[in-house]
Amino acid sequence: MVTLETPRLILRRWHEGDIAPLAAVHADPEVMRWIRDGSVRDEEETRGGVQAWESEWESQGFGLFAVEIRSTGELAGFTGLSVPHFLPEVLPAVEVGWRLGRSHWGQGLATEAAAAAVRFGFEERGLERIVSIAQVGNDASERIMAKLGMRPVRETVNPTCGRRVRVFELLSDEYVAPVR
């Protein structure tokens, strides 16, 4: 079981106790505004998502981590690596993504978590390229991508919802690991 630690966070695999708090994050329309068509998700859909993420861990050797606040044990959301099947034109690719509850926004937690996931992808899994995809207008996510050292490489349409997205990428030979 892979667990990553940052100064403020623990990135770990999922357990049953994470479903309800993650469902609360998914029920917030402001959190979900930039996700696919903006629809919120209920507890059953959240459970299905977590099960799919855990399956990806088993099949790919990477996946989405539960993001836990070290000081409180609270589930903040998720970050990690996944294959962006929803956007076939960028495949083969591995995407770094994140989603945190609104109470955790504006504190640098998404950047901290995503940076740990990128480091894991390059250093532990030997990936050569990591992408990140954001809907046009999601400036907060694009700022995180820039902080990760990613650069925009294309703009296209997400075929699952018809919304415009920007694809950013970082190649392993461009990656500069932060000093630990």
Side-chain angles (χ1 to χ4, degrees):
M1 290 284 223
V2 176
T3 300
L4 306 178
E5 296 190 18
T6 71
R8 298 181 290 170
L9 305 170
I10 297 171
L11 281 60
R12 59 168 173 75
R13 299 281 293 271
W14 297 89
H15 57 71
E16 181 62 31
D18 297 326
I19 303 298
L22 186 60
V25 171
H26 286 166
D28 183 340
E30 191 60 26
V31 171
M32 301 303 287
R33 175 181 177 197
W34 300 109
I35 310 302
R36 309 268 169 117
D37 68 357
S39 297
V40 297
R41 298 184 187 151
D42 62 20
E43 192 164 316
E44 183 179 325
E45 291 166 310
T46 298
R47 182 181 306 282
V50 168
Q51 289 169 345
W53 301 337
E54 280 296 297
S55 293
E56 194 162 48
W57 271 106
E58 300 308 318
S59 66
Q60 302 288 336
F62 56 78
L64 297 178
F65 292 98
V67 174
E68 180 181 306
I69 305 296
R70 286 175 73 117
S71 62
T72 65
E74 177 186 4
L75 181 79
F78 70 76
T79 193
L81 304 171
S82 63
V83 176
H85 295 290
F86 70 92
L87 196 60
E89 69 188 77
V90 301
L91 298 177
V94 175
E95 177 187 17
V96 63
W98 52 86
R99 185 175 310 145
L100 300 182
R102 205 177 339 169
S103 64
H104 300 289
W105 291 1
Q107 302 168 48
L109 296 174
T111 303
E112 185 176 323
V118 167
R119 183 173 50 250
F120 172 74
F122 286 135
E123 295 181 5
E124 302 296 323
R125 292 300 181 253
L127 298 176
E128 294 182 11
R129 173 178 170 251
I130 297 176
V131 302
S132 196
I133 303 163
Q135 289 187 10
V136 173
N138 187 348
D139 297 335
S141 282
E142 289 194 13
R143 281 191 299 275
I144 293 168
M145 293 170 191
K147 289 176 186 175
L148 295 174
M150 302 184 109
R151 59 185 162 71
V153 292
R154 77 169 58 178
E155 191 170 308
T156 188
V157 173
N158 178 339
T160 69
C161 64
R163 290 183 170 184
R164 295 204 60 75
V165 294
R166 284 197 187 102
V167 180
F168 286 65
E169 78 175 7
L170 180 60
L171 304 177
S172 61
D173 62 357
E174 300 168 334
Y175 173 68
V176 177
V179 176
R180 293 183 208 189

